[in-house]
Amino acid sequence: MNNNPFAPMFELQRQSIDQGQKMIERSIEIQNEMTKSFAKAAESQKSAQEKGVDAWKSAIETSLNVVDATTPTDSTAFTDMQETIDNQFDTLNDIHTDVWESTERNIEAGADISEDMNEIFLSFVNDSVEMAMKTNKQFEERSETVVDATEVETQ
């Protein structure tokens, strides 16, 4: 039978250390989930932006077609203007693609770095918890020795 009056204190400390470790593990999981959510949100933003550019291009083309159809001329001015606008939209799409590819690479690199750092931190936490638990157990054993020695002397 354990007659150490300090045993409940040591058990409480171990439970507290264990809960702290679980809290840190959960916060790292949440951080990793948030990083993944950010990447998904960026992908949704890219898609929305592409659709916006397409809608803008379509509206301009429709306007030019209406003007061209209602203007009594055989001029190639509208055709030249439409080609110029198409070229500008092609350039915009190329820039858009380059920017988003760069953004996606940076997000992926940041997520990888974050995940690596979290793994290192979690390893450090786990090692520290293991050391704290061993130290706690050693102190409890020493306190039992002191309590046993004190009981022998007082009897």
Side-chain angles (χ1 to χ4, degrees):
M1 178 178 152
N2 186 350
N3 59 351
N4 184 351
F6 300 107
M9 177 192 70
F10 287 109
E11 179 58 29
L12 185 61
Q13 286 175 339
R14 285 190 293 272
Q15 289 175 4
S16 179
I17 291 168
D18 185 54
Q19 288 174 356
Q21 180 184 22
K22 288 177 181 170
M23 181 191 73
I24 290 170
E25 288 172 349
R26 183 62 187 140
S27 69
I28 287 173
E29 288 173 13
I30 290 170
Q31 184 178 0
N32 288 339
E33 290 170 13
M34 288 177 59
T35 301
K36 290 174 185 172
S37 295
F38 178 73
K40 288 179 185 176
E43 183 62 35
S44 295
Q45 178 62 34
K46 173 187 173 188
S47 177
Q49 199 170 26
E50 287 172 345
K51 289 176 183 174
V53 170
D54 289 344
W56 185 30
K57 179 181 179 184
S58 178
I60 289 173
E61 287 175 345
T62 300
S63 296
L64 288 176
N65 289 337
V66 168
V67 171
D68 187 25
T70 58
T71 304
T73 179
D74 290 334
S75 171
T76 60
F78 283 110
T79 305
D80 291 344
M81 189 179 347
Q82 284 177 324
E83 285 179 22
T84 300
I85 289 172
D86 283 343
N87 289 337
Q88 289 175 342
F89 272 103
D90 289 343
T91 300
L92 177 63
N93 283 330
D94 290 344
I95 292 169
H96 182 266
T97 299
D98 291 345
V99 167
W100 278 106
E101 285 175 358
S102 175
T103 300
E104 288 170 347
R105 278 192 308 273
N106 289 332
I107 288 171
E108 287 174 13
D112 290 344
I113 290 169
S114 175
E115 207 170 294
D116 291 345
M117 294 298 293
N118 284 341
E119 285 179 26
I120 291 168
F121 178 66
L122 189 56
S123 176
F124 169 76
V125 167
N126 290 337
D127 291 346
S128 298
V129 165
E130 184 179 332
M131 187 182 308
M133 292 293 207
K134 284 180 183 177
T135 302
N136 177 281
K137 197 67 175 161
Q138 289 171 349
F139 278 124
E140 183 177 16
E141 289 168 0
R142 288 181 185 160
S143 71
E144 287 173 13
T145 303
V146 170
V147 167
D148 290 344
T150 305
E151 286 179 0
V152 169
E153 290 178 16
T154 59
Q155 290 179 0

